[in-house]
């Protein structure tokens, strides 16, 4: 098959993979029944299993970078097979967990490390095939990853109506492993000499050189981009981690209404990845990021003024935050490739993703600190607004530096 046609098949297979590993974000649906199950076994009350999800999110960059090295040397097939098996083993192993520690080892480490290995490889590889549409490729693959947080809770809930929580872990793990490993045989490495001829966008987005990771780390613009990613992901990671409690305690929503809030946030997160990734192909990553940060700042201010009764204002602010967070994640795979080249993007994007991990660590910590100190959620949104403003400044410095946009 002609590579220009086959790249679309590879993109579709890549979307199936990210849809599977995005099921990590269905953890909130697993958590309550799993806590009840473990309480029945141990006889001890389990207040929260949030530590499991925190560990799963924190370890991803480790295998993203390691998988990137393997991908650049041996191609994506081996990485996806190993990552898929690790992800599946972690998910299935969670179905055998009899303690919180075992659950952390299986889900936190197994699933988290598997997601990191698979996600970074499949997204960066898809971007390499689309030098003319890197934003679209990055947007679609990351949109499917985000879309899983909309689709999977419904699927898991249906399964829980028929099966035990331990059985659901095993079923989901087995099906996801099968899909990821099958997709791995379709996905192949982008040839080093692959080009898209006769496209102005391809010429405009062609970087001056292909940077190795060590060369990238010597470039000041890398640190601008990493800090920009941290600022951009901050609000999303802070709010996603506590969307349901925010809706219930700040706005007085019922648990059922709060669950709908989580779905709205996930939906706009997915849409943001797709729309912003595509938009960046047309007006450039830097210009798209400027718009994204401006919208995020405005939405953060709206949320600051929210209180019980201002439901429409709350939903608007939440939807825009979700959209902007998704936009940042959809832009960055192609943004990194445009700045530092496609050849080594698997490793380079894995290192850049440390900025996302920092946001995932700092955002929830600041939210908890603010709530503990003030008893209110609203002041935390001022931190979101401040970091969005910092993001605008960083992008201005990026543009002044004359870097690729």
């Amino acid at each position: 098959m002609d590579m220009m046609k086959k790249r679309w098949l590879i993109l579709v297979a890549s979307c199936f993979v990210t849809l599977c590993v995005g099921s990590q974000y269905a953890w909130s649906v697993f958590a309550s029944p799993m806590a009840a199950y473990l309480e029945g076994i141990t006889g001890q009350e389990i207040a929260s299993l949030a530590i499991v999800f925190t560990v799963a999110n924190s370890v991803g960059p480790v295998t993203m970078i390691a998988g990137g090295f393997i991908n650049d040397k041996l191609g994506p097939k081996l990485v996806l097979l190993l990552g898929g098996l690790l992800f599946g083993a972690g998910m299935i192993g969670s179905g055998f967990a009899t303690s919180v520690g075992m659950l952390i080892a299986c889900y936190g480490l197994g699933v988290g490390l598997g997601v990191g290995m698979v996600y970074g490889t499949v997204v960066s590889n898809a971007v390499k095939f689309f030098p003319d549409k890197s934003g679209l490729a990055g947007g679609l693959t990351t949109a499917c990853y985000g879309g899983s947080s909309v689709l999977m809770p419904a699927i898991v809930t249906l399964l829980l109506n028929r099966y035990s929580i331990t059985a659901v872990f095993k079923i989901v793990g087995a099906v996801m492993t099968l899909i990821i490993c099958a997709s791995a045989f379709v996905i192949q490495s982008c040839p080093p000499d692959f080009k898209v001829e006769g496209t102005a966008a391809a010429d405009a987005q062609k970087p001056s050189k292909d940077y190795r990771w060590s060369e990238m780390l010597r470039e000041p613009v890398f640190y601008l981009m990493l800090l920009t990613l941290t600022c951009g992901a901050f609000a999303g990671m802070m709010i996603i981690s506590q969307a349901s409690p925010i809706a219930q305690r700040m706005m007085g929503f019922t648990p059922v209404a709060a669950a709908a809030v989580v779905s709205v946030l996930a939906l706009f997160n997915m849409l943001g990845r797709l729309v912003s990734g595509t938009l960046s192909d047309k007006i450039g990553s830097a210009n798209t990021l400027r718009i994204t940060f401006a919208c995020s700042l405005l939405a953060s201010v709206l949320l600051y003024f929210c209180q019980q009764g201002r439901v429409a204002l709350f939903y608007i602010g939440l939807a825009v935050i979700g959209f902007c967070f998704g936009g940042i994640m959809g832009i960055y795979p192609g943004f990194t490739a445009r700045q530092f080249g496609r050849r080594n993007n698997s490793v380079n994007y894995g290192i850049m993703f440390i900025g996302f991990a920092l946001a995932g660590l700092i955002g929830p910590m600041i939210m908890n600190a603010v709530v503990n100190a003030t008893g209110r959620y609203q002041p935390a949104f001022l931190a979101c607004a401040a970091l969005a403003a910092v993001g605008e400044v960083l992008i201005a410095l990026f543009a002044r530096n004359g870097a690729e946009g």
Side-chain angles (χ1 to χ4, degrees), residues 21-308:
V21 295
S23 60
Q24 174 187 6
Y25 284 92
W27 172 251
S28 60
V29 185
F30 288 112
S32 294
M34 193 60 185
Y37 171 75
L38 292 178
E39 285 177 357
I41 292 178
T42 62
Q44 299 176 345
E45 183 180 356
I46 298 175
S48 173
L49 289 175
I51 182 63
V52 179
F53 187 65
T54 299
V55 171
N57 267 306
S58 300
V59 299
V62 175
T63 42
M64 277 190 73
I65 297 171
F69 279 110
I70 299 173
N71 181 32
D72 287 343
K73 297 292 184 183
L74 302 175
K77 196 182 306 296
L78 177 62
V79 182
L80 294 179
L81 287 172
L82 291 175
L85 291 173
L86 180 58
F87 173 85
M91 190 70 77
I92 294 170
S94 298
F96 291 97
T98 55
S99 67
V100 175
M102 188 174 176
L103 192 60
I104 291 173
C106 292
Y107 196 97
L109 295 177
V111 172
L113 291 171
V115 169
M117 181 171 284
V118 170
Y119 177 80
T121 295
V122 78
V123 172
S124 60
N125 187 70
V127 167
K128 290 178 182 179
F129 276 100
F130 291 85
D132 55 328
K133 296 181 176 67
S134 59
L136 174 65
L140 278 173
T141 49
T142 60
C144 288
Y145 182 77
S148 187
S149 60
V150 179
L151 181 63
M152 283 306 300
I155 294 175
V156 171
T157 300
L158 287 174
L159 289 173
L160 285 171
N161 290 333
R162 298 190 59 183
Y163 305 101
S164 67
I165 180 61
T166 54
V168 172
F169 269 121
K170 297 168 189 175
I171 292 169
V172 172
V175 173
M176 297 304 181
T177 303
L178 180 63
I179 294 173
I180 294 170
C181 291
S183 299
F185 288 98
V186 177
I187 297 170
Q188 67 182 68
S189 182
C190 181
D193 58 348
F194 179 72
K195 296 180 180 179
V196 179
E197 302 293 346
T199 305
D203 297 333
Q205 295 171 13
K206 184 178 179 181
S208 57
K209 62 178 287 188
D210 288 301
Y211 289 77
R212 295 176 60 84
W213 69 271
S214 55
E215 295 175 315
M216 180 182 73
L217 293 180
R218 290 196 291 268
E219 292 293 319
V221 72
F222 162 75
Y223 299 96
L224 278 177
M225 291 175 65
L226 186 142
L227 290 174
T228 301
L229 175 57
T230 302
C231 291
F234 176 85
M237 292 303 292
M238 186 181 80
I239 294 172
I240 286 172
S241 67
Q242 301 191 52
S244 181
I246 291 172
Q248 292 181 59
R249 298 171 191 171
M250 188 176 93
M251 300 299 296
F253 284 17
T254 65
V256 173
V261 167
V262 175
S263 297
V264 168
L265 187 61
L267 177 62
F268 278 88
N269 175 12
M270 177 186 69
L271 292 174
R273 293 169 188 253
L274 180 59
V275 173
S276 296
T278 305
L279 183 62
S280 69
D281 286 331
K282 300 183 181 299
I283 67 173
S285 299
N287 288 331
T288 308
L289 285 169
R290 284 194 186 97
I291 297 171
T292 302
F293 278 117
C295 292
S296 183
L297 195 159
L298 177 60
S300 299
V301 173
L302 289 180
L303 289 173
Y304 173 75
F305 286 107
C306 280
Q307 55 186 343
Q308 292 189 22

